[in-house]
Amino acid sequence: EGTPTNAGAGTGTSTGHPAARPSRSPIKINASGKPAEAGIVTKIDLENFMCHRKVSITLCNNVNFIHGQNGSGKSAILAALQICLGAGARRTNRARNLKDLVRKEGNANQAVVRVTLLNKGPDAYQHEIYGDHITIERTISLGGSYNGFKLYGHGFIPRKSSAKSTSKKHLLELLDQLNIQIENPVAVLDQEEAKKFLMGKAEDKYNFFTKATDLERLDRHYADTKDHIYEMDENKDRMEKSIEPLSKNVEKLEQEWKQFEHLNKLEDKLSGHQINYAWSMYNNYKDELDQNQNNLVILDGKVAKRQEDVVQTEATENDTEGKKAIEEELGELTKEAEEANERRREISNELKMSLGPKKNQERAIKRHNQEMKGAQRDLAVAVRELEAKRREIMDRADSAQSVEAARAAKAKKAEEQIAEAKKISEDSRVEKSDSQQRYEQSEPRERALGQNVEQIDRQCYAVNAKVQGLKSSEGNSINMFGSKCEAMSQKVEQARRAGRFSGRVVGPIGKYLKVLPGKEKFASMAEMSLQVGLDRYIVTNSQDREVFMRLRGEIRCNTRECGVFQMRDSPRYNVIAPPCDGVETVATVINATDDLVFNCLVDNGKIDQKALMGSKDSSYEILLEDRPQGGQQIKGRNIKMVYFLPLGDYWQLSNHSLSGYSQDRQLKQTIGVDKSVAIREGEKELHQLEIEKRQLVAEFQTVKKDRHELKINWNRMKNAVDKASRDMQRLTEELERIREEAEEAENVVDDTTELEDEVNRARESHDKLKSSENNMRKALEDLLPGIDKLQNQLDEESARNEKVLMELRLAEDKLGLYLNDQEELKRSIQRKREKLERAQHVRNEQASRVEAGQQKVDETLTKAQKIAYQNKKSKESRDKSNSDDGDAHALEDEVEENVIEEMESMMPVPTRKSSEYYKERINRVRSEIIRERERRHMTETNPEIALEKYHRAKNDLEKKVFQIGKITDNVQKLVDDMKDRKKKWRSFRSHISDLTNANFDDILNRKGSSGIIKFDHENKCLDLTVQKDANNENSQTADVKALSGGERSYTTLSLLLALGECLETPFRVMDEFDVFLDPVARRIALKTMIEVAKTFEHRQFIFITPQDLSNIKTDPKLKIFHMNPPKRSEIVGGPEQQTLTM
């Protein structure tokens, strides 16, 4: 890793081992002694950002003050600077996402912020492209348009100039080149960090120090590594305890295998009986089949006779004349009935139309009666109210005084309850806001953990599928490159034989790769650096590619399985050799036996451009050299990436700057190893993934549970706030009601005139409704004669229609009798057909028995042939295993064409005994074998399985021993590496502490004082000792609180400046750093800060404060920007546009 320099300034990514991190060369921007040339902010522009509609400020190169009242938009300038230089919305402590920063007034749909940086001198970033100034623009859109970064060069004009770059990668390179650390609290000190630093204890200042210098993150990573070492030791102890039973089991299985030599004669006798039993079963089924075939011929004759009888009966079903006459009569009667029904329908419709006015009149009378009842109720109510009012007037005089006293007591109690509910509401609202904020802040972590669990689930599935594919491949070595390799190779071979390919098809690639002798230690690292799937195939033209893709679909490959490259078939490339001795490349470690495969790896895997080294230090020493123009380069210039042991980490040069990266995958080797080793490595990788998965799931469940508890508390506090609000509203309404009752009591006038008028009006309305009732009933009687006439006509038509329907039913009965006769004839035909079907069914059942019998004959023949063939091969296999000292494998199913022909050529063997006889002999011999095994204490029945168990147990034992040795080596390497890294970490901590101390004393010397920073790394405290007079030791004090306000403020700010100078950042921003100072101390601190800042003319300072700056005078090195006071909207919370006074 090396000794970190300028902590927190790196831009490379780090994965894998917790302590791994890319390193880079030290950066020193704008040397002291002359004005700044690169990285300082010259201009900030805001459009529709937060409370600003349009603001533009131009900063000077040294000291800048931004002054204004609270709410005037000072901190919005800082937020714009942070957002434009790559910080997230949450880092600003102003919003949770970028869209919340868009100005709410004026229907603005996007915000634009721009920051212009000085870009001169030797530290300039790509000066030939951007010139003396670089403008970074960031757009925040509420819609779906572009929200990224744009980089402009010198002479930028808004909405007219074209961007030099829109890539965030170039922005990160710019920040790295100019050492701008926008998220470091020392470089950009916002209000929250300022409060912690200025008011914090010694422990808070120490934590601030470790966070700013990146010491905290490195220490945390080292602790994680130590926990990992403890876990590996525990795994090793468990494995060592499991070796002894494995060793005893191997000895036992080896002894059992040797005892099988005495059972060969009994096994041969058993095999002979099994063959005879199989042939006897075949002969029995063959005799049964011949009998069933004879019965089928007899049934065919019976079916033919019944078919002839059915045909003769169906010929008599021809007379249809009587049916036609009845159907004609039915048609005439049906027509007459329809006409009568139509006339009846017309009269009915006319009657309905006449009944309409009647029903309307009846409904009007009903409504009138309801109105009468309502008028009666109104009259009764008016009379009661008049009488009650008169009684109330008489009683009011006695009770007025007692009611007023009770009303005052109720009002006082309501006011006290309102105050209590208000206090509960405020307390609950504060706790609810805290729970809500913590709940929302934990959401990204829960989502990230969930995604990590899903990702490791997919990895476990892929590794498990590969292991299962290797185990089920029955010895085929190419399946270790991918689970579909064997099936794809068979498909390719079949297509090649069928002439579907016009060119060469090579694959899988791993099949043609070998590790060169003497270079085995680089094999796994070389395989990892290939970055080309070993299960891929190569074709030479687009037509063959289409054929290959169809074959992939036939065996259902997913997008990652058995991919294909298309290459031109050409001679092997001549690649450049390694630049010097002691350097290996992937091309010199792995040999490709096929030229097409070699060329493919050169084009797609860059095997000639990737160097392999034994260690990181040796790679630096051998391959790195300085450039005459500045920077570094790799010898030979053909090498682009350098990998080194032991973990396969690598480094490369980008713009002549060194960047290192760590691997998060464990090195493993597939090329040049047998299947059993590949299975062991896969199972080991799967086991490690499952451990990581359990840890991730546990952490995910913990975070999820914590968020759930926060949400419950949030909802509980929300309900408490709502309840308190409802109580306050209810009590307020009750208080208003009490006050209104008091006012009404004062204004009561004892007058019954209005109630008496109401009684008179109700009585007049009731009399008017009663007089109109007789007129409505007379109109109803006038409608009844016409309705009665239509009802009589309707009754006559209904009687006529009933007569026609009677005649129609008689005709239908006559037709029914005819149809019954025809139905009886059909039933007779149906009975004969059923007899025919039953005969056919019996015949078909017999045919099925014949077919099933033929199938059983075929199956028993195949089974007998297979048993005889397997018996023959079993003897050959046993003889071979004995001659090879036990190195035999179980008999495999053979499916080659010559094997099938050999089995089918075996003719049936006649047997003189029944199958039961041979079965009884088989059981007797098996019992004899079992007794012999029990006498010899043998637990296995199959010698091949016993041999397989012995080899499997032996391999498991060797695997355990190898794993224990491997874990022991890895633990020792990790322990040594941790000691070295921790030593470098302490060295760096001492270096940065000394540098900060020296800068702190130097700044105090400028005011005639001196001081020392005491770092207590053991207790994690940071204390200050200050000597107010550098020449008087008696003025020294270790208690900072004993200093005056100005001296204490100056001391604290001097510490902050000293920390910042260690970072070499081109500009510093401090927001409300003087918020806790009294006026006198603030005036002294400001004066001192300005004097110190002006001495650092190679740095830019931006101070944001709401305090009075009237005593500060501007000059070419100091500039003050005054923000207009905020305009308060009539609507509470409604912000207004802010402008800037220059």
Coordinates of all heavy atoms in Angstrom, one line a residue, residues 61 150 200 492 575 654 1036:
N61 N -8.3 36.4 -5.5 CA -7.5 35.2 -5.4 C -7.1 34.9 -4.0 O -6.5 33.8 -3.8 CB -6.2 35.3 -6.3 CG -6.6 35.4 -7.7 OD1 -7.7 35.2 -8.1 ND2 -5.5 35.6 -8.6
K150 N -20.9 19.4 -17.2 CA -20.3 19.9 -18.4 C -19.1 20.7 -18.1 O -19.1 21.5 -17.2 CB -21.3 20.7 -19.2 CG -22.5 19.9 -19.7 CD -23.4 20.8 -20.5 CE -24.6 20.0 -21.0 NZ -25.6 20.8 -21.8
G200 N -16.5 21.6 20.3 CA -16.2 20.2 20.7 C -15.2 20.1 21.8 O -14.4 21.0 22.1
V492 N -22.0 -29.3 -31.7 CA -21.1 -28.8 -32.7 C -20.6 -29.9 -33.6 O -20.5 -29.8 -34.8 CB -19.9 -28.0 -32.1 CG1 -18.8 -27.7 -33.1 CG2 -20.4 -26.7 -31.4
V575 N 4.0 -11.7 -31.4 CA 3.8 -10.7 -30.3 C 5.1 -10.3 -29.8 O 6.1 -11.0 -29.9 CB 2.9 -11.3 -29.2 CG1 1.5 -11.7 -29.7 CG2 3.5 -12.6 -28.6
S654 N -2.1 6.0 -15.8 CA -3.1 6.8 -16.5 C -2.7 8.2 -16.5 O -2.5 8.9 -15.5 CB -4.5 6.7 -15.7 OG -5.4 7.5 -16.3
Q1036 N 3.0 30.6 29.5 CA 2.5 29.4 28.9 C 1.4 28.8 29.8 O 1.4 28.9 31.0 CB 3.7 28.3 28.9 CG 3.3 27.0 28.3 CD 4.5 26.1 28.2 OE1 5.5 26.5 27.8 NE2 4.3 24.8 28.6

